[in-house]
Amino acid sequence: MKHPHPKPAADAVASRTVSRVVPEPTALKALAHPVRLRMLGMLRIDGPATATQLAARLGLNSGATSYHLRQLAQYGFIEEAPHASRRDRWWRASHELTSVPPSEAEGEALDLDLAFNQAALSLQVGQMQQALEEYAELPAEWRKATAADDIIIPMTADQAEALTKRLTGIILEAMRAAPPLGEAASRNSDMVPFYVMLHAFPYPGRLPHREGEDEA
């Protein structure tokens, strides 16, 4: 006897392609700036905006904001957005996600990797601090969904790489099953942008310096 295929849940969301960019070194250098990272994040989360609107949100003057927007546009992170208003220039993010693979090279490539990660960390720490300040005012269901865990596991480098790839895969799977950023609220009033950060690294001070480096 043949059994019918189970029907998908009514609220299931079909998996979609998440647009992403892997910056070249010159583009990564342009992006490694906390203000540009914040602008790009705002355009991804909230949708298209003008330089004047972004300046107000960031507490900057419109000239500085326009300069940063031109830099982001030059390297393909943002693009002009069609809009009914011809008086103002509207911008939108060109991709939903920026992927920066760990650098295996030395010299300038490694320096760029470090500069980008420093800018990203500065932004992330600020977001974490603001989230903590708002934590007590969150609805109970969102406090239960919030986590600030740190877990230390003995591992080899290969095991650690496999774990981080698996965790990243789970997060990307959830992103592919969700509506695009900027559209979620219009589709489901219970949805808000949920910030997931993944930091994974050898416990500081436990690995020797790279060969050729002098001890301090």
Side-chain angles (χ1 to χ4, degrees):
M1 179 178 178
K2 293 184 178 180
H3 296 280
H5 294 291
K7 294 182 179 180
D11 58 348
V13 179
S15 181
R16 62 184 181 84
T17 300
V18 175
S19 59
R20 66 168 71 191
V21 60
V22 181
E24 295 294 329
T26 305
L28 185 62
K29 184 176 181 179
L31 187 60
H33 191 292
V35 171
R36 290 174 202 159
L37 285 174
R38 286 185 67 190
M39 284 183 177
L40 182 57
M42 288 176 175
L43 292 174
R44 285 175 173 172
I45 294 169
D46 300 318
T50 67
T52 301
Q53 292 170 337
L54 291 171
R57 295 181 203 173
L58 293 165
L60 299 174
N61 63 61
S62 58
T65 304
S66 295
Y67 170 75
H68 289 305
L69 286 170
R70 288 195 301 271
Q71 290 295 303
L72 290 171
Q74 180 179 346
Y75 295 102
F77 295 108
I78 65 173
E79 59 193 11
E80 285 195 59
H83 199 272
S85 172
R86 296 184 178 181
R87 179 180 177 183
D88 297 311
R89 197 175 190 183
W90 288 75
W91 297 96
R92 66 184 178 191
S94 302
H95 313 86
E96 295 180 73
L97 192 65
T98 303
S99 294
V100 182
S103 175
E104 297 183 8
E106 303 296 330
E108 185 178 1
L110 181 57
D111 291 341
L112 287 173
D113 195 4
L114 289 170
F116 173 79
N117 280 289
Q118 184 61 58
L121 180 62
S122 176
L123 175 62
Q124 291 163 0
V125 169
Q127 295 284 4
M128 290 172 67
Q129 182 61 49
Q130 185 175 348
L132 181 60
E133 292 168 1
E134 297 177 0
Y135 179 78
E137 306 301 325
L138 290 177
E141 63 267 26
W142 282 108
R143 289 201 301 273
K144 289 193 296 183
T146 301
D149 302 322
D150 63 302
I151 300 168
I152 304 171
I153 311 168
M155 285 187 159
T156 65
D158 287 344
Q159 290 172 332
E161 182 182 2
L163 177 61
T164 55
K165 285 183 176 179
R166 183 180 176 189
L167 293 173
T168 299
I170 291 171
I171 295 168
L172 290 177
E173 182 181 352
M175 190 174 187
R176 287 192 293 267
L181 280 169
E183 296 181 17
S186 62
R187 296 192 186 189
N188 186 333
S189 60
D190 292 331
M191 283 186 170
V192 299
F194 190 65
Y195 205 154
V196 181
M197 301 181 194
L198 176 59
H199 293 275
F201 46 84
Y203 195 86
R206 297 304 174 96
L207 286 175
H209 291 284
R210 290 177 299 165
E211 185 177 349
E213 290 189 351
D214 295 329
E215 293 286 346

